[in-house]
Amino acid sequence: MGWRKKVSAGLFKRRISNMGILFHQETKTFHLYNKEVSYIIRIMENGQLENLYYGKAIRDREDFTHLHEEMSRPLTSVCIPEPGVLNMQCTKQEYPVYGTGDYRSPAFTVKQESGSKVVNFTYVSHEMYHGKKAITPLPAVYTNSDEEACTLELHLHDQMMHTDLVLTYTIFEEYPVITRHAAVCHKGEEPITLEKVMSMSVEFQDMDFEMVQLSGAWARERYVKERKLEMGIQAIQGINGTGCGAEHNPFLALKRPEATEQQGEVYGFSLVYSGNFLAQTEVSTFDMTRVMLGIHPEGFSWKLEKGETFQTPEAVLVYSDKGLNKMSQVYHRLYRRNLMRGNWKEQPRPILLNNWEATYFDFTEEKILDIAAKAKEAGVELFVLDDGWFGTRNDDYRGLGDWVVNLEKLPDGIAGLSRKVEALGLKFGLWVELEMVNKDSDLYRAHPDWIIGVPGRFESHGRHQHVLDFSRKEVVDYIYEMISKVIRESRISYIKWDMNRYMTEPYSRGAAADEQGKVMHRYILGVYDLYTRLTQEFPEILFESCASGGARFDPAMLFFAPQTWTSDDTDASERAKIQYGTSYVYPLVSMGSHVSAVPNHQMFRSTPLSTRANMAYFGTFGYELDLNLLSEEELKQVKEQVAFMKKYRKLIQVDG
């Protein structure tokens, strides 16, 4: 993951010729390639970067300038002295900025002290090295060895602002994958304010594509939607502050109209980030297509003083010439082997039973142990205690934020209960919702200024709860100390980390006026910080992320929690659509999937027990019901299902 061997110029190539980065000095052209994909960049006459080619692997040559199209068109602005005709409006740019004669959407805008937003980043130098750097504190794809990948860093500079822009590209040997991110390093005396800093931009000469997205709502997350590209902007976004949401996943693909599951060209774009995002395609009136992906500029404003750097999240680009299925397979392998981490990365997942739909908030220790004992009888390996174990949490109006066990329900605490469950022969798991607080809680009464919201304005709630201000270190520290104490005292093998509302009235009482544009990004960094601390202190615990089901199913979460509760909708028929859409990007082992009771608690539909299991097999597999309520025949089926999953889960989850 660290800084690796560096080459400053000339020819850079792996010992194995299947992958490399070539720099042709005379034509000032970079060629990133492996056996499946080529990506070609040229330094133009004005010092800016041109995106010459991205697609199926092509043979290298010294000169790719035949791929550059240059002509004078009415109402375009020439950006080099005569007799040149170079204009940015009709050029495929590598990272377009504001104010260069390009009237399409830029990837970068910045406000300077003078009030100007015009910038001009030009090439200065480049570095190439084996392996790939981490971009801490942001999660990112990593290499398991230096030989897996090569990295190119392009260093550009704006002389007026005295600011560097570093564009980083990594190409892998075994995958048709290129990862990209950008960093802005300010060296000028006067501060600048970043207003838009996308992770990547790439352009195609034509518009003959269909755009594929994963969109929906609670209980119908990540349905597959397709539309033909037209002139103008087509985009999806998440601006809820606390994740991609159930509405739109931080992913889009462009496919040729004739492409199917098994054949045709497809380009995938996936963002490793859990906050506000923008995924946009823009088709010009000359039929050129520009794709951009990164942090959404809405509500974003980042002031940089001299010596400060801003780092964007990572975008993962996948090329397939064998249809959508090949694109998905690549994302699955990459995210399983080079994004997930820790003890559970290559391990089949334990078969669990969660008590939520069996009891909701209404349980006692005796009832929990009774459910756990029957689960053990059926062959289940892990019992998970869901919401209601802490504070005064007997409903969703109160108790969130008070991570102290409710001794009226559990007289021996989580420590005692976890040991009793283990004595039954099961592992023990626990539900938490660490980013939220109810106003009816000891935490809120002690720290009312710790929630996101504007003083004097109404503070919207969702599920009767409010968002803790994780942009503040003291808030993250407090939650870490409370929950880590519970974990240390207990025998916990699994944690389900829930998050049941979006952010509204985004304002931090701990930030100055000119820092408010940083709050939503800093919030996500706070979430990553807490995840990092907990996963480092408790590396043996299997974390599952959750957000009202699948409202935070993004690649960044897989970096910390290698599985996600795919949807609160456990109906088998609905899950077929939800899990199919999710599988466009995310591996089966990342999808939390359970057999629940009938009639289903969300759809009120009754489906056979066998159908429910057949759907849940294609994920982590577990149960969300009280097995004591099943008939002898049904319990026999459950035992057979558990035995089947134990036999084949390695094939389904790890080897597939």
Side-chain angles (χ1 to χ4, degrees):
M1 290 189 207
W3 190 268
R4 300 304 185 217
K5 188 183 298 181
K6 184 168 64 177
V7 178
S8 60
L11 178 69
F12 178 81
K13 197 173 181 180
R14 273 211 49 185
R15 289 186 297 272
I16 301 172
S17 61
N18 286 339
M19 173 190 68
I21 304 171
L22 305 174
F23 177 55
H24 300 294
Q25 182 73 46
E26 186 173 338
T27 58
K28 295 182 171 56
T29 304
F30 299 90
H31 183 187
L32 294 81
Y33 73 93
N34 61 27
K35 59 188 176 182
E36 295 186 80
V37 65
S38 285
Y39 195 104
I40 302 172
I41 305 164
R42 181 177 79 101
I43 306 166
M44 294 185 288
E45 295 88 334
N46 64 350
Q48 296 181 27
L49 301 177
E50 180 178 17
N51 174 223
L52 274 182
Y53 177 84
Y54 172 38
K56 188 177 180 67
I58 58 178
R59 188 183 302 275
D60 187 61
R61 55 191 295 171
E62 290 293 322
D63 189 352
F64 285 103
T65 53
H66 67 283
L67 297 172
H68 169 76
E69 292 190 12
E70 185 170 302
M71 65 181 68
S72 179
R73 291 182 170 123
L75 298 179
T76 58
S77 302
V78 177
C79 62
I80 57 173
E82 293 186 11
V85 294
L86 181 65
N87 71 82
M88 295 295 97
Q89 179 69 5
C90 301
T91 298
K92 295 191 300 177
Q93 297 175 64
E94 190 59 31
Y95 197 77
V97 298
Y98 181 81
T100 61
D102 181 2
Y103 307 111
R104 296 167 290 170
S105 299
F108 180 90
T109 55
V110 58
K111 187 175 181 179
Q112 299 151 61
E113 285 291 283
S114 66
S116 170
K117 295 186 178 183
V118 176
V119 294
N120 182 28
F121 284 110
T122 56
Y123 169 83
V124 174
S125 64
H126 65 271
E127 295 178 353
M128 307 173 184
Y129 50 89
H130 294 292
K132 185 178 188 291
K133 290 185 200 177
I135 57 173
T136 307
L138 289 165
V141 170
Y142 59 87
T143 55
N144 295 291
S145 73
D146 290 350
E147 301 306 303
E148 280 188 81
C150 301
T151 297
L152 167 67
E153 291 185 3
L154 296 174
H155 297 256
L156 298 92
H157 184 73
D158 181 281
Q159 196 167 17
M160 291 281 290
M161 292 191 302
H162 199 31
T163 303
D164 292 340
L165 172 65
V166 181
L167 304 179
T168 302
Y169 307 74
T170 297
I171 185 164
F172 288 76
E173 179 181 1
E174 294 299 325
Y175 311 113
V177 165
I178 293 170
T179 66
R180 291 188 55 181
H181 62 271
V184 183
C185 314
H186 185 51
K187 299 176 179 178
E189 296 296 331
E190 296 181 338
I192 59 174
T193 301
L194 306 177
E195 296 182 334
K196 183 180 185 181
V197 192
M198 304 301 280
S199 295
M200 56 76 58
S201 178
V202 69
E203 301 199 40
F204 301 92
Q205 197 62 51
D206 67 289
M207 59 177 284
D208 191 24
F209 290 104
E210 293 172 351
M211 176 173 155
V212 183
Q213 65 196 67
L214 304 177
S215 300
W218 179 83
R220 53 177 175 85
E221 299 89 345
R222 290 172 302 286
Y223 279 20
V224 179
K225 304 291 183 181
E226 297 181 5
R227 59 175 125 165
K228 187 180 185 301
L229 289 190
E230 295 291 351
M231 289 182 183
I233 290 174
Q234 292 109 128
I236 55 172
Q237 63 183 22
I239 54 172
N240 57 55
T242 55
C244 58
E247 289 74 30
H248 302 292
N249 204 254
F251 159 83
L252 68 82
L254 295 184
K255 62 183 283 290
R256 295 299 182 182
E258 67 277 7
T260 65
E261 282 285 348
Q262 305 296 335
Q263 63 183 13
E265 280 197 319
V266 180
Y267 296 83
F269 304 90
S270 175
L271 188 65
V272 187
Y273 188 57
S274 309
N276 290 352
F277 79 94
L278 175 65
Q280 176 178 299
T281 61
E282 181 175 3
V283 178
S284 76
T285 52
F286 294 105
D287 293 352
M288 297 170 64
T289 300
R290 174 176 291 175
V291 183
M292 293 194 299
L293 187 62
I295 293 175
H296 203 295
E298 180 69 36
F300 174 84
S301 176
W302 200 277
K303 188 176 182 179
L304 284 181
E305 301 285 353
K306 182 178 182 179
E308 293 183 334
T309 296
F310 181 81
Q311 170 69 65
T312 73
E314 183 170 75
V316 180
L317 287 62
V318 168
Y319 170 75
S320 167
D321 62 352
K322 295 182 176 63
L324 289 160
N325 188 59
K326 172 67 178 294
M327 177 199 73
S328 298
Q329 289 175 344
V330 172
Y331 275 123
H332 292 189
R333 292 197 300 271
L334 180 75
Y335 284 172
R336 213 172 63 224
R337 300 172 186 173
N338 298 85
L339 184 62
M340 295 179 182
R341 303 175 302 157
N343 295 353
W344 289 98
K345 172 182 171 180
E346 298 287 351
Q347 296 297 318
R349 303 300 155 76
I351 296 172
L352 65 82
L353 185 140
N354 184 298
N355 74 294
W356 178 241
E357 290 192 9
T359 68
Y360 293 101
F361 295 105
D362 184 18
F363 60 81
T364 62
E365 183 181 271
E366 181 182 4
K367 189 172 185 179
I368 290 299
L369 291 173
D370 187 42
I371 294 172
K374 183 60 72 170
K376 172 60 180 175
E377 180 187 331
V380 170
E381 300 160 311
L382 168 67
F383 174 81
V384 179
L385 179 64
D386 212 281
D387 198 355
W389 59 268
F390 52 90
T392 57
R393 189 73 168 171
N394 296 314
D395 51 47
D396 58 17
Y397 288 84
R398 69 202 85 239
L400 267 182
D402 297 336
W403 300 107
V404 179
V405 69
N406 183 336
L407 295 177
E408 292 184 9
K409 289 184 178 180
L410 305 173
D412 292 325
I414 293 298
L417 176 63
S418 65
R419 285 168 172 80
K420 291 175 185 178
V421 169
E422 285 204 343
L424 293 173
L426 293 163
K427 296 295 185 181
F428 180 78
L430 195 63
W431 177 97
V432 296
E433 190 171 4
L434 303 176
E435 301 162 63
M436 303 292 161
V437 65
N438 292 122
K439 287 193 172 181
D440 186 356
S441 68
D442 292 340
L443 174 58
Y444 179 80
R445 285 184 281 271
H447 301 284
D449 61 320
W450 277 11
I451 66 170
I452 295 285
V454 182
R457 294 191 181 275
F458 179 76
E459 294 159 341
S460 304
H461 66 83
R463 205 187 179 218
H464 317 293
Q465 63 194 52
H466 297 263
V467 183
L468 284 170
D469 187 357
F470 268 36
S471 72
R472 300 172 65 173
K473 185 177 183 301
E474 64 269 28
V475 179
V476 177
D477 290 346
Y478 179 89
I479 297 298
Y480 168 73
E481 292 301 331
M482 289 197 77
I483 197 61
S484 61
K485 182 177 185 295
V486 174
I487 299 171
R488 289 188 204 107
E489 294 172 351
S490 308
R491 302 293 294 271
I492 295 174
S493 300
Y494 163 103
I495 287 178
K496 179 179 179 179
W497 182 325
D498 211 341
M499 188 275 291
N500 278 298
R501 67 154 294 181
Y502 299 151
M503 188 187 298
T504 54
E505 298 88 43
Y507 183 89
S508 171
R509 293 166 170 88
D514 63 353
E515 296 283 298
Q516 294 299 325
K518 298 182 177 182
V519 169
M520 286 189 279
H521 182 59
R522 280 181 169 167
Y523 175 94
I524 295 300
L525 296 181
V527 173
Y528 294 159
D529 178 41
L530 183 55
Y531 255 119
T532 298
R533 294 196 223 178
L534 292 175
T535 54
Q536 287 181 351
E537 183 175 355
F538 308 106
E540 72 285 352
I541 290 178
L542 171 59
F543 281 81
E544 177 173 288
S545 64
C546 177
S548 285
R552 193 194 255 164
F553 208 133
D554 64 72
M557 283 292 105
L558 297 185
F559 187 79
F560 303 103
Q563 61 191 56
T564 299
W565 182 227
T566 312
S567 176
D568 277 343
D569 191 340
T570 56
D571 176 77
S573 297
E574 290 300 310
R575 270 301 187 102
K577 289 177 282 189
I578 294 167
Q579 290 178 214
Y580 171 70
T582 306
S583 75
Y584 266 53
V585 183
Y586 304 99
L588 296 187
V589 74
S590 69
M591 297 187 211
S593 53
H594 297 170
V595 176
S596 62
V598 291
N600 178 264
H601 289 199
Q602 293 79 44
M603 301 301 295
F604 309 107
R605 179 189 284 130
S606 292
T607 53
L609 183 57
S610 59
T611 301
R612 285 173 270 159
N614 288 339
M615 194 65 245
Y617 288 145
F618 293 94
T620 59
F621 195 74
Y623 292 87
E624 192 105 1
L625 45 76
D626 185 350
L627 296 176
N628 290 291
L629 303 180
L630 301 187
S631 67
E632 286 298 320
E633 177 58 33
E634 288 173 324
L635 190 59
K636 180 184 176 183
Q637 286 187 58
V638 167
K639 292 178 181 178
E640 291 171 350
Q641 291 165 1
V642 170
F644 175 89
M645 193 59 184
K646 287 180 179 178
K647 182 177 180 180
Y648 292 106
R649 63 181 162 185
K650 185 173 184 293
L651 173 65
I652 295 170
Q653 297 176 352
V654 178
D655 296 338

